[in-house]
Amino acid sequence: MTAVSLDLAKAYMKVDGTAEDELISLYLEAAETWCGNYIGSPIADLDPVPADVKIAVLRLVSFYFECRNIATFFPCSLRRMA
């Protein structure tokens, strides 16, 4: 059982189409694992999953999705300052 479906995550992030489904699914798995570790109990053990946990998973998935290029993005102007 997952706390957040792929369709709900895509709706939350306003993503259309299926091109990003595999990536979003990966982020969902990672976000649920992270949240489960944070609360000290696997998300799969929660029945029903509280709304605040679902929102935490959605926000974390959205963060992962929106910031996926930050690790590789380093503008030349910042390189000079480093």
Side-chain angles (χ1 to χ4, degrees):
M1 179 183 128
T2 59
V4 175
S5 68
L6 177 61
D7 288 339
L8 180 58
K10 288 171 65 174
Y12 180 80
M13 297 184 298
K14 299 185 184 337
V15 173
D16 295 326
T18 59
E20 306 283 1
D21 284 4
E22 186 176 355
L23 183 62
I24 296 169
S25 294
L26 177 68
Y27 292 155
L28 274 168
E29 184 179 342
E32 289 189 11
T33 299
W34 190 95
C35 289
N37 289 338
Y38 183 80
I39 64 174
S41 176
I43 302 296
D45 290 351
L46 303 176
D47 188 28
V49 178
D52 58 342
V53 173
K54 288 183 181 182
I55 293 295
V57 169
L58 285 169
R59 287 184 176 179
L60 194 51
V61 169
S62 180
F63 174 79
Y64 289 157
F65 187 77
E66 292 173 8
C67 298
R68 64 189 179 273
N69 293 325
I70 288 179
T72 59
F73 177 73
F74 200 87
C76 293
S77 60
L78 292 178
R79 282 188 210 139
R80 287 186 218 118
M81 294 184 338

